Amino acid sequence: MKKIFYLLLIPGMIISSCQPKSNVTPVDLTAAKDDVAKLLDKFDAGLKGKDANAVIALFTDDCLACGTDPREVLGKADWSAMLTQALADTTVDMNYTVDKTEIKISSDGNSAIAMEQAFLRSFSDRMPCRIIYHAVKNDTDWQLNFISFSFIPNNEDISKLNKALE
């Protein structure tokens, strides 16, 4: 019985010692958050500067962009076309100030959800807009693969909006 035990013990030790050692490198969440904040700053600067190419370059090829209209659910080609047309319009003022920003980084440091709130005065000076982003880390760069623009009325104004839409 002892011989069988020792015979089984030796292969068990060999198998367990041959297992790959996983070295988990800690993720610097603060640095990742700073990188995503810089990405959002580039997006905002591109919009304000009406530089469609600079904005489009921030997005992955498989991105999804949702505008304020329910029909505006766009892939990159349509998003690029819409953005290029909108930013070429000289009557649209893209000068806005972000009032609030929140960024949440995933625990592995490879993706993030971000939110900005601002008044896009060319569209509404009474309702703020909330922009939701999903960013992914590709090798060393961060890119946006999702964006959604939504107007966010105050709760006390919803009944007024419902009446106006009748």
Side-chain angles (χ1 to χ4, degrees):
M1 188 72 169
K2 285 185 181 182
K3 289 182 183 179
I4 293 174
F5 173 74
Y6 288 120
L7 287 174
L8 293 175
L9 181 64
I10 292 172
M13 288 175 28
I14 292 171
I15 290 171
S16 68
S17 67
C18 291
Q19 297 300 314
K21 305 291 187 248
S22 60
N23 292 335
V24 178
T25 50
V27 176
D28 186 349
L29 297 178
T30 303
K33 191 173 184 177
D34 290 344
D35 290 343
V36 172
K38 289 175 188 171
L39 177 66
L40 300 183
D41 289 343
K42 287 179 188 177
F43 177 81
D44 292 339
L47 280 185
K48 290 175 185 176
K50 294 192 163 201
D51 187 348
N53 291 329
V55 175
I56 292 163
L58 302 175
F59 287 84
T60 62
D61 289 338
D62 63 342
C63 72
L64 178 65
C66 300
T68 56
D69 189 291
R71 295 167 290 203
E72 295 173 346
V73 179
L74 312 167
K76 188 165 187 176
D78 292 332
W79 165 238
S80 298
M82 185 177 111
L83 189 61
T84 300
Q85 181 181 2
L87 294 182
D89 186 345
T90 58
T91 64
V92 176
D93 179 12
M94 293 304 296
N95 193 13
Y96 62 93
T97 302
V98 174
D99 300 320
K100 183 175 186 173
T101 302
E102 293 289 334
I103 300 171
K104 301 291 182 192
I105 305 293
S106 66
S107 60
D108 66 1
N110 290 319
S111 67
I113 296 286
M115 179 278 305
E116 291 182 326
Q117 285 181 191
F119 277 94
L120 302 177
R121 303 229 184 265
S122 282
F123 301 98
S124 176
D125 60 354
R126 296 180 185 252
M127 269 191 295
C129 184
R130 182 176 290 153
I131 309 167
I132 305 292
Y133 307 87
H134 184 254
V136 291
K137 189 173 184 182
N138 298 329
D139 297 324
T140 57
D141 291 335
W142 284 89
Q143 284 190 293
L144 299 169
N145 74 344
F146 176 80
I147 189 167
S148 178
F149 294 86
S150 302
F151 288 110
I152 50 170
N154 293 321
N155 289 337
E156 59 270 14
D157 293 334
I158 292 174
S159 63
K160 295 175 199 172
L161 289 169
N162 285 333
K163 285 181 183 178
L165 293 171
E166 287 180 354

